[in-house]
Structure formats: structure tokens, C-alpha cells
Amino acid sequence: MPTEAGFNIKNDIPEKERCARKKGDIVRRIIASIIVVVIVWGAIGVGVGLYPIVPEEESTPKTLKLATGSPYELGLIDALSKPFEERYNCNVEVTKAGSGKSLDLGKEGKVDLVMVHAPQAERDFVMDGYGIDRCAVMYNDFVIVGPDNDPADIRGIENAAEAYEKIAETESPFFSRGDNSGTHKKERSIWNEADITPGGDWYRETGKFMGATLKIASEEQGYFMTDRSTYITMKEDIDLEILSEGDPDLVNHYSVIAVNPKRNPNVNYDLAKAFIGYITSPEGQEIIRDFGKDEFGEELYYPDAVVTAKFADLEASDDEVFKGRDTSYEPRPPYIVTGVGPVDDEPCWYCPEVDALYAPTFEVLDTDAAKGRYYMMTKTITLKDIVKFHGHDCEGLFHATCMCKLAMDELFPDGIYDRTDMRGMAGKSPCFCDVVMYLTGGRIRHGTFDMDPRLGHSIIIQRISTGEAVMASWRPGVNCVPINDVNPSPYEVWSAYPQPTTPVGKHIAREPEVSTDRLIELKTKLERYEISPEELTELRWLQIQHVEEILSHPLEESYQIKHLPDFRWESPGYDSIIRRNDIMFKNYPQMYSPSAATEEEWLQQEAPDLHKVSAGVE
């Protein structure tokens, strides 16, 4: 390999230091894997939910503000709150509101937590950055009740849309809550499925809660879609029967969502997180399972938490727990194992920079199929993988990769970059676009990647589940791009992207070994088609030296990040944007083989040997 005139492509890092770095990486990966295994077995052994249950030490009680509807009206929230309040020395303050109103209260920061049953509105709440840590908690189902004489003749009809059609055809009295609650949203979806716009004297909106509307329907001898739990508690006091039930679309899933403290700093996120942990733990799920049994002789709600299904025996099969459920925005499971695959950082002809001292690597997490679950293990991406994807090891590719590293470290402090939970933006540079798409998993087709020329040579990455967004760019002294509209002199702002003006930041402390002026001069000639073959060779070599110099220093010295607290993701303006389907079931229990009975069985039998399996060791 040539070494004259600075033509040593390898970094001038002593071999001893290289070996130490690689050994350090291996040790860190082994420790990370051990920690994960400890977490898994700890979760199984102590039976906690997604969050640790640790009593508060403060003597002054704190208040958790929760908004929900029927679960409070029927008394379930009181049953859950009492032991939680004792354990955490706090008060639970409940606002009775339907799902629509509850989510509005969350957006306004007037509550810390919502328990709702409106899946699409919940997804929008999370996607828009208002909520985080959305978890399934429980489910029941909706039923259509009516008078014994059944004027619409819907008795025994399972399909809800068909029952609605007969009610509309006969103009039999039908009562609606009309309050944008989860029940009202579900009712409207059924009318839409039946292609009917209800109206007239027979269709009556009460604007009241479930129990009150059920009483009115009974008094007026009309039809109403209620949740089964409310009907069970009131059936002795009303004159209505269940006439239509069993439609799979009427399974009614409840989720709990913490209000995002990044959007509303005044909320009590720590207490909200603890409450989520408690009600999704085996103890909380058992309270839900047993609630109402003694008084009414049957369950009012069925436990539905992911962790419960994996680590506790609550007499619920996987089919029962996950039927009809979309886990897209639930937190990832605790059993992910890192550092299993070998790290390909051996220098080669197409990427000699891959083993530089500060060359970034990425532990990424994906799903295992087009409609798949989370992989049990992460994959490691190095500069070589990015070069293979892009085609060559250009300067811009490495700049964008280093920016992504800093941004993703900020968004995922545990070092596992979840590619089901990111979306990104880049300027018009194909290098930057390729890197952001590859590392985040963003796709134009899914509306999770966009190109905005105003970004110039900055990038934006957003973590979908939290709404947190970070912009990354280079520091003065690293920029080797000719002045243009998106790289204005004297670089007083990061880019032309319409975010609050931010000073470009501190200039790099070191004196560059490569003349950035010469690089800009050669690039200007290149853009004008005035560059000679010799100058083209010089440009290529200076770019390699420039990258090697950057990767021999901590990345924070050459790049910088800033948070974008008011960032709003706008779906790219392209036709045929579709929902990303490979994340819909990502939290379903992962089984080692079709014959594995449970996730726990898989973990007991196979988890200790994951590294050997990956390495092909028998």
C-alpha cells in the first residue's frame, strides 16, 4: 500500500491501541449481553411489569392525574388505585372522560396519564408526540342490546354492520353516546362499514356516559351498543337484552398512555410510568382479572398486558391476549440480546476507514418478517455495510453516518437503535439521504423518510414513540462544501430549515491536517466540469485523509446536535403512502420454534446459548 506523500490509507493508530479498542468492544458486548440476561430472568423471577415497582421515599404525597371513562365509572380504577397509592405514598386523581376528551386533556397537559380504548386516536396521539409508553392493559367487548320484542329482528346476528343495517331499515330507536368517546368512535366505524349515515328521529344522541345512555335506551326501549362490562353491572336494573354479540371487530382493547413530558414538562411522568408498571405487572393484572367476579359471578375485564402474557400465568392464552391487537407503539420487550453477531470492521479495499479509532458502529433492532415480531437479537452495522448500500466510501457518506450516530445516541441512550421506531429527514445530498434511510429504516413509501433541500448538510431524526426529534450537523472547520443557498456564509445558522435560529456552535479545536480551502477549491472546479484528472485524484485523496482525521477524534469534536422541541413531522407529499405493516405485531411473543409452548419456555431452553447459536457452535 503506498505510503509516500501521506498516502497511507490506514490511520496512524498503533496496533497495540487497535487491539485494545477491539478487546474493549468485545468486553462491552459481553457485559451488555449478561446485563440483558439478568434483566430477563429478573423480570421472570420477580414478576414485575414494564417498570420497576419501587416505593417512593418522599413523605409528602404526590398526585397522579388520570383521565378515563368506564373503568372509573365501574370502580376498576379505585380497585387499582388503592394499593398503588399505599405503595407509592401518593394520591390518584381521576377525571371521568371518554377517550376523545381524555386524549384532549393529555394534549393540554392537564393529566399525567390516560386509559383509553380508541386505537386509531391512540396511535395519532403517540405519533404526534403527545404520548409515550403506550401499553395494552385489558379488554372486554361490545354488544348490541335492545328490547325483548326486537323490532329490527337482529337477535342472533353476529355481524354488527348487518345488525345496524336492519336497525336503520326499520328505523327502530337507536341511542348513541354522541360524545367522541371510544364507544362512539367504534359505533361510527360500524355505520361506515354498513355505508349508512344515521339520522332522523330514530337516531338519538345523548351526550352522556355509558351507564346513563344504557338507562335511557332501556326507558325508551331502543337499541344501544354498550360494553359488556357495563351491561353486566346494570342488567338487573334495566329492561334490555343482548341481541347481537360475537363480532371479532367488537373486541374492545384498553391502552394506557403516559403524557409526553417533552411536550408538557409539568406532568408527573415518573408517577405515570410507575402506574403503568403497576397495572401491567402480575399483581395489577390479577386485580383486573378478578374485578367484579365476586359480585357479578363473571369477569368484567380480561388482562391484556404484554409482559403478563410472557412472564405470568394468568390463565390467558396468547391467542386471547393478542387477538385483534396492534402493538406498533408499545415499548419493546426486555429480552433483546445485543452483541451476538460478529462486527465486520476489518479494513478492505472499498472501506479502509472501517477500523478507525472512532469509526461508528450501530446496534440496530428490527422485526423478523413482513408481518413479524421483534428479533430476539440485534444486528451490528459498520461503515462497510453503509458503503455497500451506497456504493462507495465518499466523504458525505461518513459525515452523515457520524451525524446519525450522535443523534441516535441521544434518542436511544441504551445503545439499541430501534429501526421500527424512527423516521428521518435529510437534504438533497444522495449520500445523506441513503445514510438516514438505511440507519433509521425510514421509507418514503411508509411516510417515515423525507427529503427537504432546506436541510442542506444537516439531518433530523425523530423517535416516533416519544416524539423527540434531534437535528445534527457538522461544526465549523469540518464543512468542506462550497458556499451555496443551503450552506450560507458565514454559517451563522445550521441550515435553511425553518427551526429556531441556533448559532452554528463552537469551531473545532484542532487545526485540520487537510486544507479545507483546497478541498472547496477542487469541489468548485468539479461542479464546473473544470477539474483535471490529476486534480480529481488529488480531491479523492484529500477526502480520504479528511475522513481519517475526523475518525481519529471523538465525533463530538467534529459534529453537533440540538433538540427540536417544537418539531412536527409532516407526512411526505407523495402518492401511495401506506402504513408500515411489519411493525404491527412486533411485540407478539417470540417463540424459538412452532413447537415452543410459551416465550418463557423458549427463554429457559435457548437464551443461554444465543451467542453459540449465532456463531455456529454446537
Side-chain angles (χ1 to χ4, degrees):
M1 186 175 292
T3 57
E4 296 181 6
F7 275 62
N8 182 7
I9 296 179
K10 297 266 290 180
N11 284 301
D12 295 327
I13 301 172
E15 184 65 25
K16 189 174 184 180
E17 186 173 351
R18 289 179 190 279
C19 293
R21 177 178 67 83
K22 290 182 179 179
K23 289 178 180 177
D25 284 345
I26 293 171
V27 170
R28 282 192 295 274
R29 293 178 188 282
I30 292 173
I31 291 174
S33 298
I34 292 172
I35 290 173
V36 171
V37 171
V38 169
I39 291 173
V40 171
W41 292 115
I44 295 172
V46 301
V48 300
L50 291 171
Y51 303 101
I53 301 175
V54 181
E56 293 279 355
E57 296 181 357
E58 291 84 348
S59 58
T60 303
K62 294 182 178 180
T63 299
L64 172 69
K65 297 179 180 180
L66 166 67
T68 191
S70 295
Y72 176 67
E73 191 173 51
L74 298 183
L76 174 61
I77 297 301
D78 289 340
L80 290 167
S81 296
K82 185 176 179 180
F84 178 78
E85 289 173 334
E86 293 175 354
R87 177 166 296 180
Y88 282 88
N89 186 31
C90 68
N91 299 313
V92 177
E93 179 182 297
V94 184
T95 299
K96 189 171 80 168
S99 292
K101 180 60 176 177
S102 293
L103 293 169
D104 287 341
L105 291 171
K107 290 178 181 179
E108 296 166 6
K110 294 181 179 179
V111 294
D112 309 311
L113 191 72
V114 296
M115 184 183 289
V116 289
H117 60 128
Q120 185 55 57
E122 294 167 28
R123 287 191 286 267
D124 293 341
F125 186 71
V126 173
M127 289 285 282
D128 292 340
Y130 292 107
I132 57 176
D133 299 335
R134 175 185 178 228
C135 296
V137 178
M138 61 191 183
Y139 69 94
N140 57 10
D141 68 334
F142 290 110
V143 294
I144 302 174
V145 298
D148 178 60
N149 64 348
D150 189 18
D153 194 25
I154 68 168
R155 192 186 305 272
I157 295 177
E158 181 175 306
N159 184 276
E162 183 181 341
Y164 273 30
E165 288 174 0
K166 300 194 74 171
I167 293 172
E169 287 172 1
T170 58
E171 296 190 354
S172 300
F174 183 93
F175 290 86
S176 168
R177 287 179 58 171
D179 59 355
N180 199 35
S181 60
T183 303
H184 186 214
K185 291 176 186 291
K186 173 58 73 173
E187 177 215 314
R188 286 185 300 186
S189 73
I190 298 171
W191 288 120
N192 289 336
E193 184 183 346
D195 197 22
I196 295 173
T197 302
D201 293 340
W202 64 273
Y203 183 78
R204 307 170 192 178
E205 293 185 343
T206 68
K208 298 182 181 296
F209 278 94
M210 193 79 80
T213 303
L214 192 55
K215 284 183 179 179
I216 294 172
S218 177
E219 293 167 358
E220 300 292 331
Q221 285 294 280
Y223 294 95
F224 176 52
M225 187 185 75
T226 180
D227 70 301
R228 189 184 297 270
S229 305
T230 302
Y231 178 79
I232 290 171
T233 64
M234 296 180 62
K235 64 183 179 181
E236 300 300 326
D237 302 317
I238 58 176
D239 186 20
L240 295 174
E241 299 180 11
I242 295 178
L243 299 175
S244 176
E245 61 182 325
D247 189 330
D249 287 340
L250 295 189
V251 175
N252 182 34
H253 291 279
Y254 278 86
S255 299
V256 63
I257 313 173
V259 175
N260 190 347
K262 300 285 186 181
R263 181 63 63 85
N264 290 292
N266 59 303
V267 300
N268 193 332
Y269 174 61
D270 288 339
L271 206 52
K273 187 169 62 172
F275 190 75
I276 294 174
Y278 179 72
I279 66 175
T280 59
S281 72
E283 181 180 335
Q285 294 281 283
E286 188 171 3
I287 292 173
I288 292 170
R289 181 193 66 185
D290 293 340
F291 178 71
K293 273 186 179 180
D294 291 342
E295 183 175 357
F296 302 105
E298 56 185 310
E299 295 92 339
L300 298 185
Y301 295 99
Y302 296 88
D304 195 24
V306 174
V307 173
T308 297
K310 291 171 184 168
F311 299 130
D313 179 14
L314 292 182
E315 301 174 2
S317 70
D318 291 339
D319 287 343
E320 290 173 333
V321 170
F322 288 95
K323 183 178 180 180
R325 188 148 114 226
D326 177 353
T327 67
S328 300
Y329 307 112
E330 295 178 2
R332 70 165 184 258
Y335 50 75
I336 303 300
V337 178
T338 64
V340 175
V343 179
D344 186 5
D345 62 354
E346 288 299 320
C348 61
W349 62 270
Y350 61 83
C351 189
E353 308 90 346
V354 69
D355 71 338
L357 184 58
Y358 293 99
T361 60
F362 301 82
E363 289 277 349
V364 298
L365 180 63
D366 298 287
T367 52
D368 63 5
K371 301 289 191 297
R373 304 165 168 93
Y374 270 125
Y375 272 117
M376 297 291 289
M377 296 164 279
T378 61
K379 299 187 288 287
T380 304
I381 292 175
T382 69
L383 290 174
K384 290 173 74 172
D385 299 303
I386 298 170
V387 171
K388 290 175 185 177
F389 177 75
H390 183 62
H392 54 255
D393 64 332
C394 63
E395 176 189 5
L397 197 76
F398 293 129
H399 284 313
T401 302
C402 294
M403 293 176 195
C404 283
K405 177 65 174 177
L406 293 186
M408 291 162 70
D409 278 346
E410 190 72 11
L411 295 172
F412 296 90
D414 63 358
I416 300 176
Y417 310 126
D418 188 343
R419 290 201 289 187
T420 75
D421 192 24
M422 284 188 280
R423 51 193 174 196
M425 296 175 63
K428 61 184 179 181
S429 163
C431 312
F432 278 57
C433 288
D434 276 2
V435 170
V436 172
M437 282 193 292
Y438 184 69
L439 290 175
T440 65
R443 298 289 185 271
I444 290 176
R445 178 74 164 151
H446 295 144
T448 52
F449 175 79
D450 199 10
M451 189 275 291
D452 191 325
R454 297 171 297 179
L455 274 173
H457 290 85
S458 296
I459 64 157
I460 293 175
I461 298 178
Q462 184 179 38
R463 183 170 180 176
I464 298 172
S465 61
T466 65
E468 188 176 6
V470 171
M471 178 185 279
S473 189
W474 44 37
R475 293 186 181 277
V478 174
N479 186 342
C480 299
V481 177
I483 301 300
N484 55 45
D485 291 341
V486 292
N487 294 286
S489 177
Y491 311 120
E492 293 178 349
V493 295
W494 288 42
S495 71
Y497 191 76
Q499 290 289 335
T501 301
T502 302
V504 75
K506 186 178 179 181
H507 196 285
I508 60 172
R510 64 183 184 276
E511 184 65 30
E513 299 174 8
V514 175
S515 170
T516 55
D517 291 338
R518 179 57 176 165
L519 272 170
I520 292 175
E521 178 186 353
L522 291 172
K523 289 179 181 179
T524 302
K525 285 189 173 185
L526 184 72
E527 291 176 358
R528 297 173 180 171
Y529 292 89
E530 297 174 354
I531 196 167
S532 69
E534 291 79 11
E535 289 173 326
L536 185 61
T537 301
E538 180 187 0
L539 173 60
R540 166 65 174 155
W541 179 243
L542 288 175
Q543 288 177 314
I544 291 175
Q545 284 190 309
H546 182 52
V547 168
E548 288 187 341
E549 179 191 343
I550 289 171
L551 296 182
S552 65
H553 295 269
L555 301 185
E556 293 82 357
E557 293 184 8
S558 302
Y559 306 94
Q560 56 189 332
I561 61 171
K562 69 173 179 181
H563 287 266
L564 306 178
D566 298 318
F567 180 77
R568 298 289 186 276
W569 180 270
E570 297 180 3
S571 183
Y574 307 107
D575 294 335
S576 303
I577 297 294
I578 63 172
R579 186 167 177 213
R580 183 174 177 182
N581 292 327
D582 66 335
I583 66 172
M584 291 173 60
F585 309 109
K586 65 183 186 180
N587 272 304
Y588 274 35
Q590 179 67 271
M591 297 182 181
Y592 181 70
S593 71
S595 62
T598 64
E599 178 105 23
E600 184 174 351
E601 178 181 316
W602 187 96
L603 289 168
Q604 290 173 341
Q605 295 179 355
E606 302 295 337
D609 297 322
L610 285 176
H611 292 77
K612 291 183 179 180
V613 170
S614 175
V617 178
E618 295 296 334

